[in-house]
Amino acid sequence: MIKNICCIGAGYVGGPTMTVMAYKCPEINITVVDLNKNRIAAWNSDNPHDIPIFEPGLAEIVMKVRGKNLFFSTDVESAIDKADMIFMSVNTPTKEYGKGKGMAADLKYIELCARQIAAVSKSDKIVVEKSTLPVRTAEAIRSILDNTGNHVKFQILSNPEFLAEGTAINDLLNPDRVLIGGLQTPEGKAAIEELTAIYAHWIPREKIIQTNVWSSELSKLTANAFLAQRISSINSLSALCEKTGADVTEIAKAIGSDSRIGNKFLTASVGFGGSCFQKDVLNLVYICKTLGLEEVAEYWDWVIKMNDYQKHRFADNIITTLYNTVSGKKIAFLGWAFKKNTNDTRETPAMYVADTLMNDLANISVFDPKVSPNQIFTDINHVNGKSDEENQKQLSFVSDPYEACQNAHAVVILTEWDMFKTLDWKRIHDGMMKPAFLFDGRNLLNAEDMTALDFHYKGIGK
Ligand code: NAD
Ligand code: UGA
């Protein structure tokens, strides 16, 4: 019976996942640890608005269980020492140096975790891979854990997370499935059962899929690759729609009604963002390349190439439409987060569109209801390497959507926040330079309504 859990990594996955687990398993003590002191302090704040991750419903549950059976701490060692089960929920970004640069997953944080667990543990433990990892990572972790010489026995499980940001709490409370992979030995199977019993507190057993470790690791990369591929597929056709008079929304509806295809993940957009799709598909490509599967690697690489094409196509289209230059023109960005209902901006298409427009000397005014002003400068610096001072000459953040659009030559919707649907679009039009252009990177608004207001409206794939 598991009594004490430690989760290493208090990020977008570790924080919400453990919050829901603590809520559903009141008899288990869960400590979430992180090296980032500010992040832990924010998780411990008494003000729900300070919780470091914005997710609908998250702060309420944190307030219910924190201090009872859920704890946030920077004391990594003592949490590891006490735990019967340890989740590794650290970041696994794309490697930015050396071998595999720009493609492989950087496993240095995972390796560090494994070494810490090996160094500190005095009793047997189940170690759970929660982070998204390349297939066969459990082998490397095992070799680190099994060579400590302190006779502690470890079982390694793979339990990838499938939550999507913005809907994390609902995804965690009602997942389509939970996947648990482990060694097919008696000890491995017993460990799988221990973790299954935890999830069974709130998830029907038939939704808990048990596999071998390698299938579980590779299923996670495969799931993200398939989802990203659907978006790239519909986005590729959005370009064809724009040339032929077909409407990509009508096509998505027509094909999505076929139960074999299904209607989800068929929304054409400015491109997918987020911390995982690109990194996980690139990781898949890298694994295939290193195993000599060039054609397979190339096949998946096109999912990323198509996404890059879509972001550039969208930005180029703005410049072309605005008479081939945006120099000195004010462009309003509504939304910066990579999707609605999150404050996460990792790989947001907005920063790439901004970069292209700033290279053409546009002045961009950004409004986003959840993203902080500092974050947009961190993001644009990540793309163009320029200082905040330099970027501030062309990029500004305002806390009111109408102010962002005042005197703008064009408004660009980058995130599908619900609040944008109910803005007073007549008021926005009245305040803009004429002709007033509206580029809807999310097909959020009704084209006919906007045209009736005299906007020059351009959606995706229409
Ligand atoms: P994140 O960057 O938000 O959080 C990771 C945290 O781990 C950071 O706060 C970091 O300080 C901490 N950390 C790193 N090394 C540490 C160490 N040795 N000791 C203590 N703390 C350490 O990342 P995330 O978005 O939560 O993603 C974590 C993993 O989950 C990734 O592998 C990702 O691919 C996967 N994943 C993410 C999502 C998502 O929606 N973000 C969904 C499913 C899976
Ligand atoms: C995605 C997966 O959906 C999760 O299952 C997975 O756990 C997670 O990655 C991960 O491994 O990190 P997430 O990136 O949070 O979740 O959000 P999604 O809803 O998948 O959206 C990703 C991007 O695709 C967003 O920019 C979104 O706007 C875009 N998108 C999504 C589209 O352009 N069209 C669609 O039809 C759907």
Side-chain angles (χ1 to χ4, degrees):
M1 274 277 284
I2 302 295
K3 291 208 170 67
N4 287 297
I5 287 179
C6 162
C7 172
I8 308 181
Y12 283 87
V13 168
T17 311
M18 292 300 126
T19 299
V20 167
M21 197 173 272
Y23 178 55
K24 291 292 180 181
C25 307
E27 79 285 9
I28 303 180
N29 275 323
I30 302 186
T31 307
V32 188
V33 291
D34 205 295
L35 299 173
N36 183 333
K37 291 193 179 81
N38 294 338
R39 215 169 204 184
I40 291 297
W43 279 110
N44 281 323
S45 167
D46 287 334
N47 183 349
H49 296 294
D50 291 342
I51 298 294
I53 286 158
F54 172 73
E55 273 296 336
L58 171 65
E60 289 86 334
I61 307 183
V62 170
M63 293 300 155
K64 276 187 195 152
V65 289
R66 200 187 56 203
K68 288 188 182 141
N69 65 327
L70 176 69
F71 306 91
F72 292 93
S73 163
T74 50
D75 188 351
V76 180
E77 295 200 348
S78 93
I80 292 176
D81 183 30
K82 266 194 284 174
D84 317 304
M85 182 178 272
I86 302 170
F87 286 82
M88 296 194 289
S89 204
V90 297
N91 35 331
T92 51
T94 302
K95 211 172 163 195
E96 287 180 350
Y97 55 90
K99 190 162 179 261
K101 179 179 174 181
M103 290 196 109
D106 190 342
L107 298 181
K108 69 178 174 210
Y109 304 104
I110 277 287
E111 185 177 335
L112 189 65
C113 269
R115 289 188 187 282
Q116 265 176 312
I117 296 169
V120 171
S121 297
K122 297 195 275 293
S123 55
D124 295 353
K125 297 186 193 304
I126 297 173
V127 175
V128 184
E129 299 174 344
K130 188 49 123 176
S131 300
T132 301
L133 297 168
V135 56
R136 296 205 79 88
T137 305
E139 203 168 29
I141 294 174
R142 174 175 309 286
S143 121
I144 292 170
L145 294 178
D146 283 353
N147 285 295
T148 56
N150 56 7
H151 306 299
V152 171
K153 289 203 188 78
F154 294 100
Q155 276 304 319
I156 301 162
L157 300 179
S158 160
N159 171 223
E161 185 48 59
F162 295 99
L163 68 80
E165 289 177 29
T167 53
I169 297 303
N170 188 46
D171 295 343
L172 288 165
L173 289 171
N174 308 296
D176 286 344
R177 74 334 205 157
V178 164
L179 181 56
I180 304 175
L183 277 191
Q184 299 301 301
T185 58
E187 296 81 6
K189 286 181 180 167
I192 293 176
E193 282 308 319
E194 292 273 20
L195 186 52
T196 302
I198 293 176
Y199 283 112
H201 280 67
W202 76 100
I203 295 160
R205 290 238 171 200
E206 61 273 17
K207 285 193 173 182
I208 304 176
I209 302 172
Q210 303 180 340
T211 66
N212 78 37
V213 196
W214 321 125
S215 305
S216 174
E217 288 178 336
L218 190 52
S219 292
K220 173 63 195 178
L221 289 186
T222 308
N224 275 358
F226 269 58
L227 291 168
Q229 182 198 42
R230 271 174 83 94
I231 303 169
S232 278
S233 296
I234 199 76
N235 280 346
S236 72
L237 290 162
S238 73
L240 183 57
C241 286
E242 288 168 26
K243 298 269 184 214
T244 56
D247 180 328
V248 78
T249 311
E250 291 180 348
I251 291 182
K253 189 169 179 201
I255 64 165
S257 311
D258 184 328
S259 60
R260 293 168 304 174
I261 296 175
N263 60 9
K264 294 189 178 145
F265 267 70
L266 286 179
T267 307
S269 67
V270 51
F272 60 74
S275 62
C276 292
F277 279 172
Q278 176 168 301
K279 113 176 142 58
D280 292 348
V281 176
L282 286 174
N283 185 7
L284 185 64
V285 170
Y286 180 75
I287 294 169
C288 293
K289 271 183 192 282
T290 53
L291 296 175
L293 303 171
E294 279 301 330
E295 286 79 1
V296 185
E298 205 174 314
Y299 175 77
W300 288 106
D301 200 25
W302 269 102
V303 171
I304 301 299
K305 285 185 178 148
M306 189 51 63
N307 197 47
D308 288 340
Y309 166 73
Q310 186 76 346
K311 290 181 277 190
H312 287 127
R313 198 171 76 78
F314 182 74
D316 280 351
N317 188 27
I318 296 174
I319 300 174
T320 312
T321 309
L322 291 178
Y323 317 109
N324 256 337
T325 175
V326 286
S327 172
K329 292 178 185 167
K330 177 173 173 182
I331 313 289
F333 271 31
L334 294 184
W336 187 269
F338 81 97
K339 63 184 282 198
K340 74 173 178 178
N341 292 339
T342 178
N343 58 353
D344 194 349
T345 64
R346 290 178 288 182
E347 285 302 323
T348 181
M351 64 181 158
Y352 297 103
V353 176
D355 179 52
T356 304
L357 299 184
M358 285 165 76
N359 281 334
D360 209 75
L361 307 180
N363 296 318
I364 299 176
S365 182
V366 181
F367 167 80
D368 187 290
K370 288 290 171 196
V371 176
S372 72
N374 289 344
Q375 189 61 48
I376 67 167
F377 290 103
T378 306
D379 293 339
I380 200 70
N381 166 272
H382 170 75
V383 185
N384 67 15
K386 293 184 186 165
S387 69
D388 287 0
E389 210 170 48
E390 236 174 308
N391 280 324
Q392 274 159 6
K393 292 179 191 153
Q394 282 181 271
L395 187 67
S396 61
F397 184 90
V398 294
S399 54
D400 175 68
Y402 298 100
E403 189 189 334
C405 300
Q406 186 67 30
N407 294 325
H409 292 76
V411 171
V412 186
I413 297 180
L414 272 314
T415 313
E416 72 283 23
W417 287 103
D418 288 336
M419 68 170 296
F420 296 158
K421 287 193 251 184
T422 54
L423 289 174
D424 182 346
W425 283 97
K426 181 172 182 324
R427 180 177 159 199
I428 290 179
H429 183 274
D430 288 348
M432 287 175 66
M433 307 296 284
K434 304 296 180 310
F437 291 97
L438 175 52
F439 298 91
D440 189 348
R442 296 292 180 169
N443 287 342
L444 187 70
L445 304 174
N446 182 296
E448 279 173 19
D449 293 350
M450 294 300 128
T451 310
L453 286 175
D454 219 19
F455 275 108
H456 289 240
Y457 176 86
K458 188 86 191 91
I460 300 271
K462 293 181 184 287

